[in-house]
Amino acid sequence: MTNTLEPTLTGGGPLDDARTQLREATTILGFDDGLYEMLATPRREVTVSIPLRRDNGDTELLVGHRVQHNFSRGPAKGGLRYSPDVNLDEVRALAMWMTWKCALLDVPYGGAKGGVRIDPRHYSQAELERVTRRYTSEISPLIGPERDIPAPDIGTDEQTMAWLMDTYSVQQGHTVLGVTTGKPVSLGGSLGRATATSRGVVHVALAALRSRGIDPDGATAAVQGFGKVGRYAARFLAEAGVRVVAVSDQYGAIGSHTGLHIPSVEKHVDAHGSVVGFPAGEEVDDVLTLDVDLLVPAAVEGVIHSGNADRIRARVIVEGANGPTTPEADAILQVAGALVVPDILANAGGVVVSYFEWVQANQAFWWSADEVETKLADRMTTAWDRVTEHATRFDLPLRTAATCLAVERVAQAHLLRGLYP
Ligand code: GLU
């Protein structure tokens, strides 16, 4: 396999995983190497340096990226991540997954992703504002409602999006609400956006449990990650009658055989910054390997890998995070008979409601929370049905089926448009 990207900063990792998945899909679809290479390679990428004036007067140099993987079906779309682990290859992988996610859910976007290598926990709000404004300013020629539309991801939130929108707008000379999604509702955001990823995760999790003959009412679940995705996924699962027996965050994991009372866990997290120390729970060693009906990895990439996949006992795994399962682990789980609902389907609720937000902002006309929820549920159910039908018809794992459907849609757009010049 040739590699047209350089430099690659890491060996293995998410980019290799994303390309392995793409290679499998293009082989099944009968695409030639040229088309594979085109789809494996970002259309455009930029690396920027971000000099930050710290609160104490020192200057620190940070690095950021924005990768636009594909525009065949519309403007590029994807989150902005603040994490000390950000690197260009990770952002490339995440941008590629966004292309497939948007195509699978039939939202009219290509894929993109951004990242700044920073641990936001160690910076003040004022410093994070300066980082966001400088980063936005550096990438501003590339973004815009018709070009590339950032959104929150790990380490960023609606405040980040408000700063980003403001910086871009000041540069344009007028307010451009459609340049980001995931904004505060009071600033052109959409009702239902903050919890949309988790709502989508739970829609497909309930469908996946039922497809395996497991009644969600009383089924057991473990959730890895208690941030923007895991927290609300745990809440909505519990509201649906699922017994959430364990949750974790970057500091540790807690559990209870009878099921955690999620509203109390949320209160504990708001007060103490972590699930750790929750009084009505015991410490848990490894949330991933518990004997549960449902496992929701909702943290980062690569957590289910060849080193632990044979110890995963969950019957159904629903990927709240992007890229949590490596291809090697996928193969092991497939043999073991576990059902893996892939990220590009399971966590697509976020970008679906981002699309709704963009449509609302561009029309300056806002929808009710019910309207957003109903339209989201429709999209998730339609995608779930298409992927499961395709998987059954061609005897494929759900990830392969989902990737084939998405890649075919992107390739079709590309072929119809033709190659310029
Ligand atoms: N960061 C989210 C994701 O990975 C949302 C992206 C978006 O809404 O553009 O899907």
Side-chain angles (χ1 to χ4, degrees):
M1 189 193 311
T2 54
N3 179 352
T4 52
L5 285 181
E6 53 184 314
T8 48
L9 301 177
T10 54
L15 185 58
D16 276 1
D17 294 352
R19 287 175 160 180
T20 301
Q21 292 157 1
L22 172 64
R23 176 58 93 178
E24 188 193 15
T26 55
T27 304
I28 291 171
L29 292 165
F31 292 175
D32 61 25
D33 277 357
L35 193 47
Y36 163 79
E37 282 296 337
M38 200 207 79
L39 296 170
T41 309
R43 175 81 176 261
R44 192 185 276 159
E45 49 189 38
V46 62
T47 295
V48 297
S49 54
I50 305 161
L52 165 68
R53 193 175 61 256
R54 300 289 314 249
D55 289 341
N56 66 5
D58 290 352
T59 301
E60 183 180 328
L61 193 69
L62 301 166
V63 66
H65 309 284
R66 185 76 187 169
V67 173
Q68 299 174 333
H69 173 257
N70 191 281
F71 308 110
S72 291
R73 304 182 65 257
K77 182 85 190 80
L80 167 61
R81 175 174 292 197
Y82 287 178
S83 151
D85 301 322
V86 160
N87 64 64
L88 185 51
D89 277 353
E90 181 193 44
V91 181
R92 287 165 167 162
L94 292 162
M96 193 192 302
W97 284 323
M98 283 308 303
T99 301
W100 312 146
K101 198 185 297 186
C102 293
L104 185 66
L105 273 287
D106 205 11
V107 296
Y109 295 137
K113 204 78 173 196
V116 176
R117 194 200 289 246
I118 183 175
D119 187 342
R121 292 171 305 176
H122 301 148
Y123 293 80
S124 70
Q125 279 292 97
E127 289 171 332
L128 292 173
E129 176 173 354
R130 291 198 285 276
V131 169
T132 304
R133 289 189 184 279
R134 184 61 184 251
Y135 171 78
T136 304
S137 177
E138 293 297 336
I139 66 162
S140 69
L142 300 184
I143 60 173
E146 283 150 1
R147 295 163 184 239
D148 178 0
I149 306 130
D153 197 82
I154 292 172
T156 60
D157 57 17
E158 50 182 48
Q159 177 62 74
T160 322
M161 294 305 118
W163 292 326
L164 192 152
M165 190 277 283
D166 181 69
T167 306
Y168 182 82
S169 296
V170 168
Q171 289 191 345
Q172 299 296 310
H174 61 104
T175 296
V176 186
L177 294 179
V179 67
T180 75
T181 58
K183 297 180 296 298
V185 171
S186 57
L187 202 59
S190 175
L191 294 169
R193 173 62 186 86
T195 52
T197 310
S198 316
R199 286 243 180 254
V201 164
V202 173
H203 279 305
V204 296
L206 301 182
L209 286 169
R210 290 192 190 105
S211 79
R212 283 284 154 125
I214 302 168
D215 183 356
D217 195 9
T220 54
V223 179
Q224 183 199 36
F226 210 72
K228 284 190 287 290
V229 181
R231 173 181 183 142
Y232 301 113
R235 185 196 290 180
F236 300 145
L237 284 170
E239 285 173 5
V242 175
R243 199 147 45 95
V244 181
V245 294
V247 297
S248 74
D249 61 22
Q250 57 199 316
Y251 306 104
I254 53 152
S256 156
H257 293 295
T258 52
L260 294 160
H261 185 249
I262 299 300
S264 307
V265 178
E266 291 193 56
K267 267 196 203 127
H268 179 84
V269 169
D270 289 339
H272 304 279
S274 170
V275 300
V276 174
F278 178 63
E282 308 114 44
E283 245 178 67
V284 169
D285 258 358
D286 183 4
V287 81
L288 294 175
T289 53
L290 295 174
D291 185 8
V292 285
D293 296 310
L294 171 68
L295 172 64
V296 180
V300 290
E301 307 93 65
V303 294
I304 304 177
H305 46 75
S306 56
N308 65 2
D310 59 349
R311 286 184 284 120
I312 305 274
R313 286 181 287 168
R315 263 66 72 193
V316 174
I317 298 155
V318 176
E319 296 185 333
N322 292 312
T325 313
T326 67
E328 298 77 29
D330 257 339
I332 295 167
L333 293 168
Q334 169 81 5
V335 171
L339 181 68
V340 180
V341 185
D343 46 7
I344 59 171
L345 170 61
N347 72 33
V351 78
V352 166
V353 178
S354 274
Y355 166 51
F356 297 162
E357 178 176 334
W358 178 78
V359 168
Q360 294 169 77
N362 291 343
Q363 297 181 341
F365 182 78
W366 276 267
W367 309 346
S368 70
D370 272 357
E371 217 171 332
V372 171
E373 304 273 313
T374 310
K375 285 184 160 71
L376 169 64
D378 260 14
R379 292 250 174 186
M380 295 307 297
T381 309
T382 304
W384 165 261
D385 288 347
R386 277 195 81 220
V387 171
T388 48
E389 271 163 30
H390 196 76
T392 309
R393 185 149 154 232
F394 296 100
D395 194 21
L396 298 171
L398 294 185
R399 187 185 318 280
T400 314
T403 309
C404 283
L405 286 168
V407 169
E408 192 172 27
R409 214 169 236 176
V410 174
Q412 241 169 34
H414 166 69
L415 294 172
L416 282 168
R417 289 177 64 154
L419 207 52
Y420 171 84

